[in-house]
């Protein structure tokens, strides 16, 4: 393989266009998972503005780009998927029929190990090293919103009826209910981040927006408009007051759901669920094929989904002491987390404990 490794700012316009073209044609060539916006050049470049060690490997065949592999690395050669911890789709974007040797690619990139936790399907060279695979639910809207809603009614009639009834009650109880699919007001984004931070603290989870680089990343992506990629802020309002919001990323055919939150004062109306239905309706009208809800066990995802994708986590390693040391440190933590999440008898007590800790941290009893 002819492999060149670039810093984000060194990636030429021709390579960037070739990368985007591969993504736009992926669904026609049997690899729709490569069309995810987390695999786009814009996401990699945004991460490069906020984090050190971002690199992009370009694999060429007969002088033409055949594959793109964005990653992050440390000086010691520890590699991670681009945006590990916040990205919901990871892997190599490639043209049809392209195959690669994982360890040869790592060697060319100066990596002893490459860690991933949302590897998309079809990445055989990496998937062979996966330690586990997990569902990533999606909402299919490629046949239109009415078709999606009909399927939802068939598979979850009580949920669908209840959610639509709550939306109608919201309209009766409050004036000026409206939905904005692509809100450009930065104040609405700040409101969403404040809600999300409060939710993290309330439930005892780590507050992602306490990390300055994540806040900067989201703000940068909010202002990114590069056809077909864009950061999309969707907001549900009453009387011009936000009551639910979501920030995600879109590519030509995929809306990747990322940060949803709502005002707890309106919880009896399930505004987050109402928001997701409005997002599905607007996305269908905008030519989106599906909304990717992302890996993770959540009741609302199970209720809204029409099917599931599969993502994997694990490590690809070369025979190198750095690789052995990194895996020895990380493997027990991941194994414990996955065991707790997969077993209700462990997850439910752990979840209650986290929420109790969240109440203490928030000064509530």
């Amino acid at each position: 393989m002819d492999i060149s490794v670039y810093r984000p700012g060194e990636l030429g316009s021709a390579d960037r266009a070739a990368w985007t073209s591969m993504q736009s044609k992926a669904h026609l060539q049997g690899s729709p998972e490569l069309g995810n916006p987390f695999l786009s050049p814009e996401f990699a470049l945004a991460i490069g503005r906020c984090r050190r060690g971002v690199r992009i490997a370009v694999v060429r065949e007969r002088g033409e780009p055949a594959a793109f592999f964005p990653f992050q690395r440390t000086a010691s050669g520890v590699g991670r998927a681009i945006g590990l911890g916040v990205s919901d789709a990871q892997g190599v974007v490639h043209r049809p029929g392209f195959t690669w040797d994982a360890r040869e690619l790592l060697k060319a990139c100066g990596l002893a190990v490459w860690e991933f936790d949302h590897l998309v399907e079809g990445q055989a060279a990496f998937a062979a090293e996966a330690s586990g695979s997990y569902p990533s639910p999606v909402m299919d809207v490629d046949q239109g919103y009415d078709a999606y809603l009909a399927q939802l009614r068939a598979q979850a009639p009580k949920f669908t009826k209840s959610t639509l009834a709550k939306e109608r009650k919201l309209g009766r109880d409050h004036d000026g209910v409206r939905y904005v699919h692509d809100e450009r007001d930065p104040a609405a984004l700040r409101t969403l981040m404040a809600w999300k931070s409060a939710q993290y603290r309330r439930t005892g989870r780590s507050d992602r927006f306490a990390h300055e680089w994540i806040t900067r990343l989201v703000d940068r992506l909010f202002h990114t408009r590069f056809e077909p990629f864009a950061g999309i802020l969707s907001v549900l309002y009453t009387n011009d007051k936000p009551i639910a919001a979501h920030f995600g990323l879109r590519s030509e055919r995929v809306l990747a759901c990322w940060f949803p939150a709502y005002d707890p004062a309106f919880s009896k109306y399930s505004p987050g669920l109402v928001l997701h239905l409005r997002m599905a309706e607007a996305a269908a009208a905008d030519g989106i094929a599906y909304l990717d809800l992302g890996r993770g066990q959540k009741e609302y995802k199970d209720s809204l989904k029409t099917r599931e994708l599969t993502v994997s986590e694990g490590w690809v390693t070369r025979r190198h002491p750095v690789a052995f040391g990194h895996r020895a440190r990380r493997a027990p933590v991941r194994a414990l987390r996955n065991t707790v999440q997969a077993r209700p008898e462990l997850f439910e007590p752990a979840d209650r404990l986290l929420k109790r800790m969240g109440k203490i941290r928030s000064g509530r009893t």
Side-chain angles (χ1 to χ4, degrees):
M1 293 187 290
D2 176 13
I3 304 174
S4 300
V5 179
Y6 301 94
R7 297 175 183 273
E10 298 170 345
L11 190 69
S13 58
D15 283 340
R16 182 167 167 172
W19 187 343
T20 299
S21 178
M22 285 181 192
Q23 285 198 286
S24 67
K25 297 175 182 177
H27 70 286
L28 301 173
Q29 298 167 339
S31 301
E33 65 280 352
L34 297 182
N36 193 291
F38 284 108
L39 293 172
S40 70
E42 290 77 20
F43 182 72
L45 295 174
I47 291 286
R49 293 280 188 174
C50 300
R51 301 292 279 170
R52 295 180 178 178
V54 172
R55 300 290 186 272
I56 299 167
V58 182
V59 185
R60 304 182 195 279
E61 293 180 339
R62 295 182 293 278
E64 296 297 324
F68 296 86
F69 175 51
F71 60 94
Q72 294 174 243
R73 74 179 182 194
T74 66
S76 63
V78 172
R80 296 179 174 86
I82 192 86
L84 185 75
V86 295
S87 63
D88 287 349
Q90 300 154 0
V92 172
V93 177
H94 59 87
R95 67 189 186 191
F98 175 78
T99 59
W100 66 95
D101 179 274
R103 287 169 181 80
E104 183 181 347
L105 179 59
L106 262 61
K107 183 178 180 180
C109 295
L111 300 177
V113 57
W114 182 66
E115 181 180 356
F116 54 88
D117 64 359
H118 284 77
L119 183 73
V120 298
E121 296 174 277
Q123 307 268 313
F126 292 150
E129 305 295 329
S131 58
S133 297
Y134 306 90
S136 183
V138 303
M139 302 163 64
D140 288 299
V141 294
D142 55 329
Q143 300 301 311
Y145 177 69
D146 289 342
Y148 165 73
L149 197 59
Q151 184 172 350
L152 201 64
R153 283 194 172 104
Q155 68 188 33
K158 291 183 179 179
F159 165 80
T160 308
K161 181 178 179 180
S162 172
T163 302
L164 294 176
K166 288 177 180 179
E167 181 179 18
R168 291 191 295 270
K169 180 172 175 55
L170 174 65
R172 292 194 300 269
D173 293 350
H174 298 273
D175 294 330
V177 176
R178 63 186 178 94
Y179 169 75
V180 179
H181 185 61
D182 187 9
E183 176 62 81
R184 305 311 303 157
D185 183 358
L189 180 64
R190 292 193 294 272
T191 296
L192 168 60
M193 290 193 284
W195 284 341
K196 198 67 182 176
S197 289
Q199 178 189 341
Y200 287 137
R201 295 193 299 271
R202 188 169 61 248
T203 57
R205 271 67 176 181
S206 173
D207 181 3
R208 289 186 173 182
F209 291 113
H211 299 279
E212 188 267 343
W213 76 269
I214 295 180
T215 300
R216 284 197 295 120
L217 174 66
V218 169
D219 185 68
R220 178 171 293 277
L221 290 168
F222 172 73
H223 290 96
T224 299
R225 321 288 287 185
F226 194 92
E227 190 66 31
F229 179 95
I232 301 293
L233 175 64
S234 302
V235 185
L236 185 66
Y237 289 94
T238 63
N239 286 325
D240 294 324
K241 174 186 177 182
I243 64 169
H246 167 270
F247 181 73
L249 306 177
R250 72 152 294 169
S251 58
E252 186 172 341
R253 291 175 53 82
V254 181
L255 175 57
C257 300
W258 204 10
F259 292 111
Y262 61 86
D263 184 345
F266 288 81
S267 59
K268 70 177 182 180
Y269 302 104
S270 297
L273 294 176
V274 173
L275 176 73
H276 275 80
L277 291 182
R278 299 286 70 80
M279 286 165 53
E281 183 176 27
D286 204 24
I288 293 293
Y290 63 87
L291 288 74
D292 188 342
L293 296 171
R295 170 186 169 184
Q297 293 179 315
K298 299 288 184 180
E299 185 177 354
Y300 82 91
K301 295 183 182 183
D302 287 339
S303 299
L304 292 167
K305 72 181 182 183
T306 52
R307 61 184 173 96
E308 293 174 341
L309 304 175
T310 299
V311 296
S312 303
E313 71 173 36
W315 298 263
V316 180
T317 59
R318 294 167 54 212
R319 294 187 63 84
H320 193 287
V322 169
F324 297 141
H326 179 75
R327 186 162 186 165
R329 289 192 302 272
R330 296 284 287 167
V333 176
R334 285 199 178 278
L336 178 60
R337 183 204 63 193
N338 291 331
T339 297
V340 170
Q341 291 182 341
R343 297 176 60 180
E345 69 272 22
L346 297 177
F347 177 79
E348 291 173 6
D351 186 56
R352 288 196 298 269
L353 177 60
L354 285 173
K355 289 178 179 177
R356 175 62 178 168
M357 293 173 62
K359 289 181 179 180
I360 293 172
R361 189 165 61 182
S362 300
R364 296 179 292 123
T365 59

